[in-house]
Amino acid sequence: MRRALILTWKLVLSLFISVSAVYLLLALAALTAGLTQYRKNEITQEERMARLREEFYPGYVSGGEQRFASFDLSAALADGIRLNEFSFLATHNSYQPRAAWPYRLLLRAVSLIPGVPVDGRLSGFAMDGLTEQLEHGIRSLELDVEAVETDGSLSFLVTHFLLDNRSSCQDFGTALEELKLWSEHNPSHLPLIILIEPKEIKGRSEGCGPSTQTARFSWTG
């Protein structure tokens, strides 16, 4: 009986160590992917802006706002409808495409732990780019903005957190430029509501993490 009990405990301990090792490996893989993701986000955003300027907007024709309204929008505007008198579509974490595979696997694995309030279905969460969302009628966007301090200079990043930091518009200034570009090509659009969730200021070592370039932007009109 004692021998069987010892054998059972050994099997349980072995299983616990194996499962813990799997979780640890997934966490390390997600961390590694996160550390390299910042530069990938920069490249993706640069390429995206180039495509918008060189391919998307040349010859672009605005479809107007009426296509998204269930009522006569022109008549309502003429009657002086107010912003709080109609509803529109909005998105949360509007900057976030599908997470890298290590984090998706980690999220699913954590969701299997009893009592942990994590929904594994979140691993499939993904948003289109800002311009695509606006083109589909979204008029309220939410951006998480983190300030990173390097040698006294601040850069502003649109990102979630290290393990889940894929972003279609990582540089905040460039993200606003993308929104401005769409606005200029849709001069009669309804007001855009941009919700900013500010994050804490973080420092970083040279050569790691996001770019040190300070975001500079202006939006008039």
Side-chain angles (χ1 to χ4, degrees):
M1 181 67 180
R2 183 179 179 183
R3 184 176 180 181
L5 185 60
I6 292 174
L7 180 60
T8 300
W9 275 108
K10 284 184 177 180
L11 289 174
V12 171
L13 181 60
S14 177
L15 180 61
F16 175 78
I17 293 174
S18 299
V19 172
S20 298
V22 170
Y23 278 89
L24 179 60
L25 289 174
L26 286 175
L28 289 175
L31 177 61
T32 301
L35 289 172
T36 60
Q37 188 62 48
Y38 290 111
R39 180 53 185 159
K40 293 179 182 178
N41 289 341
E42 290 179 7
I43 296 173
T44 299
Q45 189 177 22
E46 291 169 0
E47 293 176 344
R48 173 180 177 75
M49 292 300 293
R51 285 196 302 271
L52 288 174
R53 293 190 181 102
E54 299 170 10
E55 300 176 17
F56 182 71
Y57 282 116
Y60 173 87
V61 177
S62 174
E65 296 283 50
Q66 182 59 54
R67 56 187 167 144
F68 303 117
S70 59
F71 54 92
D72 189 332
L73 184 58
S74 297
L77 291 174
D79 290 339
I81 188 172
R82 298 185 178 185
L83 185 62
N84 64 341
E85 294 177 330
F86 62 91
S87 59
F88 44 83
L89 296 176
T91 57
H92 181 73
N93 288 353
S94 310
Y95 55 89
Q96 197 169 35
R98 194 180 187 193
W101 68 264
Y103 180 74
R104 297 201 306 270
L105 290 180
L106 178 62
L107 194 64
R108 291 175 185 172
V110 171
S111 70
L112 297 176
I113 302 176
V116 177
V118 173
D119 190 342
R121 292 174 298 179
L122 292 175
S123 61
F125 179 87
M127 285 291 176
D128 292 331
L130 301 183
T131 298
E132 287 79 3
Q133 292 182 56
L134 296 175
E135 283 291 288
H136 284 88
I138 303 298
R139 292 297 176 264
S140 178
L141 304 168
E142 187 269 339
L143 306 177
D144 296 328
V145 179
E146 177 180 299
V148 178
E149 183 177 8
T150 307
D151 298 328
S153 136
L154 285 179
S155 57
F156 298 93
L157 308 178
V158 180
T159 184
H160 206 202
F161 60 93
L162 181 57
L163 297 184
D164 185 25
N165 63 348
R166 291 194 69 191
S167 176
S168 63
C169 53
Q170 178 172 274
D171 181 78
F172 182 50
T174 306
L176 293 183
E177 289 178 12
E178 180 177 350
L179 296 176
K180 181 182 179 183
L181 195 60
W182 183 88
S183 178
E184 290 173 341
H185 286 82
N186 293 270
S188 61
H189 70 80
L190 294 174
L192 301 181
I193 297 178
I194 313 299
L195 303 177
I196 304 297
E197 181 178 335
K199 304 292 187 180
E200 62 181 345
I201 296 178
K202 297 180 180 179
R204 75 171 184 87
S205 300
E206 188 63 32
C208 300
S211 168
T212 59
Q213 181 180 359
T214 301
R216 295 185 177 86
F217 54 86
S218 61
W219 192 340
T220 58

